[in-house]
Structures are given as structure tokens and as C-alpha cells.
Amino acid sequence: KITITNDKGRLSKEEIERMVNEAEKFKGEDDAHRERISAKNGLEAYCFNMKSTVDDEKLKDKISEEDKKAILDKCQECLSWLDSNQSATKEEYEHQQKEVEGVCTPIVTKLYAAAGGAPGAGGMPGGMPGGMPGGMPGGMPGDMPGGP
């Protein structure tokens, strides 16, 4: 909802009506632009997250050079595409994201399966959303804070 106030009495009723109508007219364009930028930012963030994941010291001995190269090459290809397609459509950004995910997801899935689940997540990739309800059953293992 768009609200325009006339606190100082400087705007006529017609000017206020015109401003409200213009704001409503451009709302659809604004929403479409917001979605496009969100898709672009999501794609860029995904690529950078994947690059940092495969460069993580803890995963160095768990991921093959071939898989690491596949992810890094695809992410770099996508980031280069992003640089030269700043005004692409939301659909084009989403298509690129699906392509990158098509390369990365099977490798990451295989990586976590081989590692016995995500580190510290109890087998849930990315951890339990919002943490474990009521905390970890039986407390934290070992002598970690909150453990037995």
C-alpha cells in the first residue's frame, strides 16, 4: 500500500491522485525488477559459496581434483557470464542457476555421502533449520559446552 501525505498543504488533491496513480503504475515494474535482482544475487552467491566450499581445508582430501575442477570451472564460467549479462532476465538467471546446480549438486551430494553426512549436522545437509528443537538429544557429545 502506497501512502502519500500532505502534511504541509503544498499538494493539491489532483497532484496527490496523480502521484498515487504513478506509484501504483510502477509497482509491477518495481516488483519485476526486484525479482530479477534477487535471482541475479542468488546465482552469484551460489557460485561464490560453491567455490569456497570446494576450497575448504576440511574437504581438500575428500574431493577429487576432477570434481573440484568441474565445480570451479562451472562457477567461473557462470560468474563470467554474469559479468557480461548484467541486464539479463530473471528467467535467464534462473536457467544459469539450474545449469550450475546440475554440475555442483551431484558432486556435493556424493561428497557428503562419502563423509557420512554434513560435518556436525547429523546427516542433514546444511544442518537442522533453526537448530534441533529442544536441543540435541542427550546433550552435546563429549566435553563440548552443554554436554553431559
Side-chain angles (χ1 to χ4, degrees):
K1 175 84 178 119
I2 298 167
T3 306
I4 298 173
T5 58
N6 190 14
D7 295 338
K8 306 278 186 208
R10 295 181 189 156
L11 300 171
S12 69
K13 190 153 184 69
E14 293 79 28
E15 288 173 312
I16 293 173
E17 280 295 315
R18 180 184 55 77
M19 292 170 79
V20 168
N21 289 337
E22 282 178 4
E24 287 173 356
K25 181 174 106 183
F26 293 119
K27 183 183 185 318
E29 289 175 30
D30 291 347
D31 289 345
H33 185 67
R34 187 177 304 108
E35 288 176 8
R36 187 181 75 78
I37 295 300
S38 178
K40 177 182 176 236
N41 291 345
L43 173 59
E44 189 173 44
Y46 184 82
C47 288
F48 282 117
N49 283 339
M50 288 310 305
K51 285 175 73 170
S52 74
T53 296
V54 298
D55 283 336
D56 189 334
E57 286 294 320
K58 295 178 212 141
L59 298 178
K60 276 209 167 150
D61 57 345
K62 292 180 177 68
I63 185 168
S64 73
E65 281 302 313
E66 182 182 318
D67 285 347
K68 182 177 179 177
K69 183 176 177 357
I71 287 177
L72 291 174
D73 287 351
K74 188 62 180 175
C75 288
Q76 192 52 54
E77 174 190 321
C78 183
L79 291 170
S80 296
W81 180 88
L82 268 170
D83 285 342
S84 55
N85 291 279
Q86 290 290 314
S87 58
T89 65
K90 173 187 165 205
E91 290 75 20
E92 289 172 309
Y93 291 130
E94 289 172 345
H95 174 75
Q96 286 293 322
Q97 177 124 7
K98 283 188 176 82
E99 283 195 9
V100 176
E101 288 173 350
V103 170
C104 297
T105 302
I107 295 170
V108 171
T109 302
K110 179 173 68 173
L111 183 67
Y112 282 139
M124 187 154 199
M128 187 80 162
M132 290 286 286
M136 285 286 285
M140 294 297 287
D143 60 349
M144 294 179 74

